[in-house]
Short mmCIF file of all heavy atoms in Angstrom, two decimals:
data_model
loop_
_atom_site.label_atom_id
_atom_site.label_comp_id
_atom_site.label_asym_id
_atom_site.label_seq_id
_atom_site.Cartn_x
_atom_site.Cartn_y
_atom_site.Cartn_z
N ASN A 266 165.55 106.06 -89.88
CA ASN A 266 166.83 105.84 -89.20
C ASN A 266 167.54 107.16 -88.89
O ASN A 266 168.56 107.16 -88.19
CB ASN A 266 167.74 104.97 -90.05
CG ASN A 266 167.20 103.57 -90.24
OD1 ASN A 266 166.81 102.92 -89.27
ND2 ASN A 266 167.13 103.11 -91.48
N VAL A 267 167.03 108.26 -89.44
CA VAL A 267 167.67 109.56 -89.25
C VAL A 267 166.65 110.52 -88.65
O VAL A 267 165.55 110.71 -89.19
CB VAL A 267 168.18 110.13 -90.60
CG1 VAL A 267 168.86 111.48 -90.38
CG2 VAL A 267 169.14 109.15 -91.27
N LEU A 268 167.03 111.13 -87.53
CA LEU A 268 166.17 112.13 -86.88
C LEU A 268 166.90 113.47 -86.87
O LEU A 268 168.06 113.55 -86.46
CB LEU A 268 165.86 111.73 -85.44
CG LEU A 268 165.12 112.77 -84.60
CD1 LEU A 268 163.71 113.01 -85.15
CD2 LEU A 268 165.06 112.35 -83.14
N PHE A 269 166.20 114.49 -87.35
CA PHE A 269 166.75 115.84 -87.33
C PHE A 269 165.78 116.72 -86.56
O PHE A 269 164.61 116.85 -86.91
CB PHE A 269 166.91 116.36 -88.76
CG PHE A 269 167.54 117.72 -88.86
CD1 PHE A 269 168.67 118.05 -88.12
CD2 PHE A 269 167.01 118.70 -89.70
CE1 PHE A 269 169.26 119.29 -88.20
CE2 PHE A 269 167.59 119.95 -89.80
CZ PHE A 269 168.71 120.25 -89.05
N SER A 270 166.27 117.35 -85.48
CA SER A 270 165.39 118.16 -84.64
C SER A 270 166.17 119.34 -84.09
O SER A 270 167.40 119.41 -84.18
CB SER A 270 164.81 117.32 -83.50
OG SER A 270 165.84 116.87 -82.64
N GLY A 271 165.43 120.27 -83.48
CA GLY A 271 166.10 121.41 -82.89
C GLY A 271 165.18 122.59 -82.69
O GLY A 271 163.95 122.48 -82.82
N ALA A 272 165.80 123.73 -82.37
CA ALA A 272 165.07 124.98 -82.16
C ALA A 272 165.88 126.12 -82.73
O ALA A 272 167.11 126.17 -82.56
CB ALA A 272 164.80 125.21 -80.67
N TYR A 273 165.20 127.05 -83.41
CA TYR A 273 165.86 128.21 -84.03
C TYR A 273 165.10 129.46 -83.62
O TYR A 273 163.91 129.61 -83.90
CB TYR A 273 165.87 128.06 -85.55
CG TYR A 273 166.90 128.94 -86.24
CD1 TYR A 273 168.10 128.41 -86.66
CD2 TYR A 273 166.68 130.31 -86.45
CE1 TYR A 273 169.06 129.19 -87.29
CE2 TYR A 273 167.63 131.10 -87.05
CZ TYR A 273 168.81 130.54 -87.48
OH TYR A 273 169.77 131.32 -88.09
N TYR A 274 165.83 130.39 -82.95
CA TYR A 274 165.23 131.62 -82.41
C TYR A 274 165.87 132.83 -83.09
O TYR A 274 167.11 132.92 -83.19
CB TYR A 274 165.46 131.68 -80.91
CG TYR A 274 165.03 132.98 -80.26
CD1 TYR A 274 163.70 133.19 -79.91
CD2 TYR A 274 165.96 133.99 -79.99
CE1 TYR A 274 163.31 134.38 -79.30
CE2 TYR A 274 165.57 135.17 -79.39
CZ TYR A 274 164.24 135.36 -79.06
OH TYR A 274 163.86 136.54 -78.46
N SER A 275 165.03 133.75 -83.56
CA SER A 275 165.50 134.98 -84.21
C SER A 275 164.91 136.20 -83.49
O SER A 275 163.69 136.33 -83.39
CB SER A 275 165.09 135.02 -85.68
OG SER A 275 165.72 134.00 -86.41
N TYR A 276 165.79 137.08 -83.03
CA TYR A 276 165.38 138.32 -82.36
C TYR A 276 165.47 139.46 -83.38
O TYR A 276 166.54 139.71 -83.95
CB TYR A 276 166.28 138.59 -81.17
CG TYR A 276 165.93 139.84 -80.38
CD1 TYR A 276 164.78 139.89 -79.63
CD2 TYR A 276 166.77 140.95 -80.42
CE1 TYR A 276 164.45 141.04 -78.91
CE2 TYR A 276 166.46 142.09 -79.70
CZ TYR A 276 165.29 142.14 -78.95
OH TYR A 276 164.98 143.26 -78.24
N THR A 277 164.35 140.15 -83.61
CA THR A 277 164.27 141.14 -84.69
C THR A 277 163.84 142.52 -84.20
O THR A 277 163.44 143.36 -85.01
CB THR A 277 163.28 140.65 -85.77
OG1 THR A 277 162.00 140.42 -85.15
CG2 THR A 277 163.76 139.36 -86.41
N ALA A 278 163.91 142.78 -82.89
CA ALA A 278 163.41 144.05 -82.36
C ALA A 278 164.30 145.23 -82.75
O ALA A 278 163.82 146.37 -82.84
CB ALA A 278 163.29 143.97 -80.85
N LEU A 279 165.60 145.00 -82.98
CA LEU A 279 166.50 146.08 -83.35
C LEU A 279 166.39 146.39 -84.84
O LEU A 279 166.33 145.47 -85.66
CB LEU A 279 167.95 145.71 -82.99
CG LEU A 279 168.20 145.35 -81.53
CD1 LEU A 279 169.65 144.91 -81.34
CD2 LEU A 279 167.87 146.51 -80.62
N GLU A 280 166.39 147.65 -85.19
CA GLU A 280 166.19 148.05 -86.58
C GLU A 280 167.32 147.52 -87.47
O GLU A 280 168.50 147.64 -87.15
CB GLU A 280 166.12 149.58 -86.69
CG GLU A 280 165.78 150.07 -88.09
CD GLU A 280 165.66 151.59 -88.13
OE1 GLU A 280 165.95 152.23 -87.10
OE2 GLU A 280 165.27 152.11 -89.19
N ASN A 281 166.92 146.92 -88.59
CA ASN A 281 167.86 146.41 -89.59
C ASN A 281 168.85 145.39 -89.01
O ASN A 281 169.97 145.23 -89.50
CB ASN A 281 168.67 147.55 -90.25
CG ASN A 281 167.78 148.50 -91.03
OD1 ASN A 281 166.85 148.07 -91.69
ND2 ASN A 281 168.08 149.79 -90.94
N THR A 282 168.43 144.68 -87.96
CA THR A 282 169.34 143.75 -87.28
C THR A 282 168.63 142.44 -86.97
O THR A 282 167.45 142.44 -86.60
CB THR A 282 169.85 144.37 -85.95
OG1 THR A 282 170.49 145.62 -86.23
CG2 THR A 282 170.83 143.44 -85.27
N ASN A 283 169.34 141.34 -87.14
CA ASN A 283 168.87 140.02 -86.75
C ASN A 283 169.90 139.37 -85.82
O ASN A 283 171.09 139.38 -86.12
CB ASN A 283 168.68 139.11 -87.96
CG ASN A 283 167.27 139.16 -88.50
OD1 ASN A 283 166.86 140.17 -89.06
ND2 ASN A 283 166.53 138.08 -88.34
N ILE A 284 169.42 138.81 -84.72
CA ILE A 284 170.27 138.04 -83.82
C ILE A 284 169.63 136.67 -83.67
O ILE A 284 168.50 136.54 -83.19
CB ILE A 284 170.41 138.72 -82.45
CG1 ILE A 284 171.02 140.11 -82.61
CG2 ILE A 284 171.26 137.86 -81.52
CD1 ILE A 284 171.07 140.91 -81.32
N ASP A 285 170.34 135.62 -84.10
CA ASP A 285 169.80 134.27 -84.09
C ASP A 285 170.56 133.40 -83.09
O ASP A 285 171.78 133.51 -82.95
CB ASP A 285 169.92 133.62 -85.47
CG ASP A 285 169.15 134.38 -86.54
OD1 ASP A 285 168.34 135.25 -86.17
OD2 ASP A 285 169.36 134.08 -87.72
N LEU A 286 169.83 132.53 -82.43
CA LEU A 286 170.39 131.49 -81.57
C LEU A 286 169.75 130.17 -81.96
O LEU A 286 168.53 130.13 -82.19
CB LEU A 286 170.11 131.79 -80.09
CG LEU A 286 170.68 133.09 -79.51
CD1 LEU A 286 170.11 133.33 -78.11
CD2 LEU A 286 172.20 133.04 -79.46
N TYR A 287 170.54 129.11 -82.03
CA TYR A 287 169.94 127.84 -82.45
C TYR A 287 170.64 126.64 -81.84
O TYR A 287 171.81 126.68 -81.46
CB TYR A 287 169.92 127.72 -83.97
CG TYR A 287 171.26 127.87 -84.67
CD1 TYR A 287 172.13 126.79 -84.83
CD2 TYR A 287 171.65 129.10 -85.20
CE1 TYR A 287 173.33 126.93 -85.49
CE2 TYR A 287 172.87 129.26 -85.86
CZ TYR A 287 173.69 128.16 -86.01
OH TYR A 287 174.89 128.30 -86.66
N TYR A 288 169.85 125.56 -81.76
CA TYR A 288 170.33 124.25 -81.34
C TYR A 288 169.79 123.24 -82.34
O TYR A 288 168.58 123.19 -82.61
CB TYR A 288 169.86 123.90 -79.94
CG TYR A 288 170.00 122.42 -79.61
CD1 TYR A 288 171.26 121.88 -79.35
CD2 TYR A 288 168.90 121.58 -79.59
CE1 TYR A 288 171.40 120.52 -79.08
CE2 TYR A 288 169.02 120.23 -79.31
CZ TYR A 288 170.28 119.71 -79.06
OH TYR A 288 170.42 118.36 -78.80
N LEU A 289 170.67 122.43 -82.92
CA LEU A 289 170.29 121.42 -83.91
C LEU A 289 170.83 120.07 -83.46
O LEU A 289 171.99 119.96 -83.03
CB LEU A 289 170.86 121.77 -85.29
CG LEU A 289 170.52 123.17 -85.82
CD1 LEU A 289 171.29 123.43 -87.11
CD2 LEU A 289 169.03 123.34 -86.04
N TRP A 290 170.01 119.03 -83.60
CA TRP A 290 170.42 117.68 -83.24
C TRP A 290 170.16 116.75 -84.43
O TRP A 290 169.03 116.65 -84.90
CB TRP A 290 169.67 117.19 -82.01
CG TRP A 290 169.98 115.76 -81.64
CD1 TRP A 290 171.19 115.13 -81.74
CD2 TRP A 290 169.07 114.79 -81.10
NE1 TRP A 290 171.10 113.83 -81.30
CE2 TRP A 290 169.81 113.60 -80.89
CE3 TRP A 290 167.72 114.82 -80.75
CZ2 TRP A 290 169.23 112.44 -80.37
CZ3 TRP A 290 167.14 113.68 -80.23
CH2 TRP A 290 167.89 112.51 -80.04
N LEU A 291 171.22 116.09 -84.89
CA LEU A 291 171.10 115.12 -85.98
C LEU A 291 171.53 113.76 -85.44
O LEU A 291 172.66 113.59 -84.98
CB LEU A 291 171.97 115.52 -87.16
CG LEU A 291 171.91 114.57 -88.37
CD1 LEU A 291 170.52 114.65 -89.03
CD2 LEU A 291 172.98 114.90 -89.39
N TYR A 292 170.62 112.79 -85.53
CA TYR A 292 170.91 111.43 -85.08
C TYR A 292 170.74 110.48 -86.25
O TYR A 292 169.65 110.36 -86.82
CB TYR A 292 169.99 111.02 -83.93
CG TYR A 292 170.21 109.59 -83.49
CD1 TYR A 292 171.33 109.25 -82.73
CD2 TYR A 292 169.33 108.59 -83.85
CE1 TYR A 292 171.55 107.93 -82.33
CE2 TYR A 292 169.53 107.28 -83.46
CZ TYR A 292 170.64 106.95 -82.70
OH TYR A 292 170.86 105.66 -82.32
N ASP A 293 171.82 109.78 -86.62
CA ASP A 293 171.80 108.83 -87.74
C ASP A 293 172.07 107.45 -87.18
O ASP A 293 173.17 107.15 -86.72
CB ASP A 293 172.87 109.23 -88.77
CG ASP A 293 172.87 108.31 -89.99
OD1 ASP A 293 172.00 107.41 -90.06
OD2 ASP A 293 173.73 108.48 -90.85
N ASP A 294 171.07 106.58 -87.23
CA ASP A 294 171.19 105.25 -86.65
C ASP A 294 172.08 104.33 -87.48
O ASP A 294 172.62 103.35 -86.98
CB ASP A 294 169.80 104.63 -86.50
CG ASP A 294 169.80 103.40 -85.62
OD1 ASP A 294 170.53 103.40 -84.61
OD2 ASP A 294 169.10 102.42 -85.94
N ILE A 295 172.24 104.62 -88.78
CA ILE A 295 173.10 103.83 -89.66
C ILE A 295 174.26 104.73 -90.07
O ILE A 295 174.17 105.51 -91.01
CB ILE A 295 172.34 103.33 -90.90
CG1 ILE A 295 171.12 102.49 -90.47
CG2 ILE A 295 173.26 102.51 -91.79
CD1 ILE A 295 170.27 102.02 -91.63
N GLN A 296 175.38 104.61 -89.36
CA GLN A 296 176.52 105.49 -89.61
C GLN A 296 177.41 104.92 -90.72
O GLN A 296 177.61 103.71 -90.81
CB GLN A 296 177.33 105.68 -88.34
CG GLN A 296 176.52 106.32 -87.21
CD GLN A 296 177.39 106.62 -86.01
OE1 GLN A 296 178.55 107.00 -86.13
NE2 GLN A 296 176.82 106.45 -84.82
N ILE A 297 177.92 105.81 -91.55
CA ILE A 297 178.81 105.45 -92.65
C ILE A 297 180.19 106.02 -92.35
O ILE A 297 180.32 107.23 -92.10
CB ILE A 297 178.27 106.00 -93.98
CG1 ILE A 297 176.89 105.39 -94.27
CG2 ILE A 297 179.23 105.69 -95.13
CD1 ILE A 297 176.23 105.94 -95.50
N PRO A 298 181.24 105.19 -92.37
CA PRO A 298 182.57 105.67 -91.95
C PRO A 298 183.09 106.87 -92.73
O PRO A 298 183.78 107.71 -92.18
CB PRO A 298 183.45 104.43 -92.18
CG PRO A 298 182.52 103.27 -92.07
CD PRO A 298 181.22 103.75 -92.64
N VAL A 299 182.79 106.96 -94.02
CA VAL A 299 183.36 108.03 -94.84
C VAL A 299 182.53 109.31 -94.79
O VAL A 299 182.87 110.29 -95.44
CB VAL A 299 183.52 107.57 -96.31
CG1 VAL A 299 184.48 106.41 -96.38
CG2 VAL A 299 182.16 107.18 -96.90
N ARG A 300 181.45 109.32 -94.03
CA ARG A 300 180.58 110.50 -93.99
C ARG A 300 180.45 110.99 -92.56
O ARG A 300 180.18 110.20 -91.65
CB ARG A 300 179.20 110.16 -94.54
CG ARG A 300 178.22 111.34 -94.53
CD ARG A 300 176.88 110.95 -95.11
NE ARG A 300 176.16 110.01 -94.27
CZ ARG A 300 175.05 109.38 -94.65
NH1 ARG A 300 174.58 109.56 -95.86
NH2 ARG A 300 174.44 108.55 -93.82
N PRO A 301 180.65 112.28 -92.31
CA PRO A 301 180.40 112.80 -90.97
C PRO A 301 178.90 112.79 -90.67
O PRO A 301 178.12 113.42 -91.38
CB PRO A 301 180.95 114.23 -91.03
CG PRO A 301 180.91 114.59 -92.48
CD PRO A 301 181.12 113.32 -93.23
N ASP A 302 178.50 112.04 -89.68
CA ASP A 302 177.08 111.99 -89.32
C ASP A 302 176.98 111.61 -87.84
O ASP A 302 177.33 112.39 -86.99
CB ASP A 302 176.29 111.03 -90.24
CG ASP A 302 176.96 109.67 -90.44
OD1 ASP A 302 177.81 109.29 -89.60
OD2 ASP A 302 176.66 108.99 -91.42
N GLY A 303 176.49 110.42 -87.54
CA GLY A 303 176.43 109.95 -86.15
C GLY A 303 175.40 110.67 -85.31
O GLY A 303 174.31 110.99 -85.76
N ASN A 304 175.76 110.95 -84.07
CA ASN A 304 174.90 111.62 -83.11
C ASN A 304 175.53 112.97 -82.80
O ASN A 304 176.40 113.07 -81.94
CB ASN A 304 174.77 110.76 -81.86
CG ASN A 304 173.81 111.34 -80.84
OD1 ASN A 304 173.10 112.31 -81.12
ND2 ASN A 304 173.80 110.78 -79.66
N ARG A 305 175.09 114.02 -83.50
CA ARG A 305 175.74 115.33 -83.41
C ARG A 305 174.79 116.40 -82.90
O ARG A 305 173.67 116.54 -83.40
CB ARG A 305 176.29 115.76 -84.78
CG ARG A 305 177.49 114.94 -85.22
CD ARG A 305 177.98 115.38 -86.60
NE ARG A 305 179.14 114.60 -87.01
CZ ARG A 305 180.38 115.07 -87.08
NH1 ARG A 305 180.62 116.33 -86.80
NH2 ARG A 305 181.38 114.29 -87.46
N HIS A 306 175.28 117.17 -81.94
CA HIS A 306 174.56 118.33 -81.42
C HIS A 306 175.30 119.59 -81.89
O HIS A 306 176.53 119.65 -81.79
CB HIS A 306 174.51 118.30 -79.90
CG HIS A 306 173.92 117.05 -79.34
ND1 HIS A 306 172.59 116.92 -79.03
CD2 HIS A 306 174.51 115.84 -79.05
CE1 HIS A 306 172.36 115.71 -78.55
NE2 HIS A 306 173.51 115.03 -78.57
N THR A 307 174.55 120.57 -82.37
CA THR A 307 175.15 121.82 -82.84
C THR A 307 174.50 122.99 -82.13
O THR A 307 173.27 123.12 -82.13
CB THR A 307 174.95 121.99 -84.37
OG1 THR A 307 175.47 120.85 -85.05
CG2 THR A 307 175.65 123.24 -84.86
N VAL A 308 175.32 123.83 -81.51
CA VAL A 308 174.83 125.08 -80.93
C VAL A 308 175.52 126.23 -81.67
O VAL A 308 176.72 126.17 -81.96
CB VAL A 308 175.12 125.16 -79.42
CG1 VAL A 308 174.26 124.18 -78.66
CG2 VAL A 308 176.59 124.91 -79.11
N GLY A 309 174.75 127.25 -82.02
CA GLY A 309 175.33 128.32 -82.80
C GLY A 309 174.59 129.63 -82.65
O GLY A 309 173.51 129.70 -82.04
N THR A 310 175.15 130.66 -83.24
CA THR A 310 174.55 131.99 -83.21
C THR A 310 174.90 132.73 -84.50
O THR A 310 175.90 132.41 -85.16
CB THR A 310 175.04 132.79 -81.99
OG1 THR A 310 174.37 134.05 -81.94
CG2 THR A 310 176.54 133.03 -82.05
N ARG A 311 174.08 133.70 -84.83
CA ARG A 311 174.29 134.50 -86.04
C ARG A 311 173.89 135.94 -85.76
O ARG A 311 172.89 136.20 -85.08
CB ARG A 311 173.47 133.93 -87.20
CG ARG A 311 173.44 134.82 -88.44
CD ARG A 311 172.65 134.18 -89.58
NE ARG A 311 172.41 135.13 -90.64
CZ ARG A 311 171.27 135.78 -90.84
NH1 ARG A 311 170.23 135.54 -90.05
NH2 ARG A 311 171.13 136.66 -91.81
N TYR A 312 174.68 136.87 -86.30
CA TYR A 312 174.39 138.30 -86.18
C TYR A 312 174.45 138.91 -87.58
O TYR A 312 175.44 138.74 -88.30
CB TYR A 312 175.41 138.98 -85.27
CG TYR A 312 175.26 140.48 -85.18
CD1 TYR A 312 174.37 141.06 -84.27
CD2 TYR A 312 175.99 141.32 -86.00
CE1 TYR A 312 174.22 142.43 -84.18
CE2 TYR A 312 175.86 142.70 -85.92
CZ TYR A 312 174.98 143.25 -85.01
OH TYR A 312 174.84 144.61 -84.93
#
């Protein structure tokens, strides 16, 4: 009932440096009112 999928990319060409880009998708077919879940898309970055 729960699908978790996505893509995570890390660029490491620069010395001592990481640059990350990612997309995460969480789909919960049985939603619970007191819990954040549902059908959520997350886009993010990290340096």
Side-chain angles (χ1 to χ4, degrees):
N266 295 311
V267 181
L268 173 65
F269 183 46
S270 63
Y273 199 101
Y274 173 83
S275 295
Y276 181 70
T277 58
L279 303 176
E280 186 177 6
N281 296 322
T282 303
N283 268 70
I284 301 174
D285 299 347
L286 299 170
Y287 55 85
Y288 164 74
L289 306 173
W290 176 36
L291 181 68
Y292 177 75
D293 182 4
D294 193 39
I295 303 177
Q296 299 186 37
I297 299 176
V299 298
R300 180 179 68 189
D302 47 21
N304 184 9
R305 289 179 179 251
H306 305 267
T307 305
V308 290
T310 184
R311 171 177 169 259
Y312 175 85

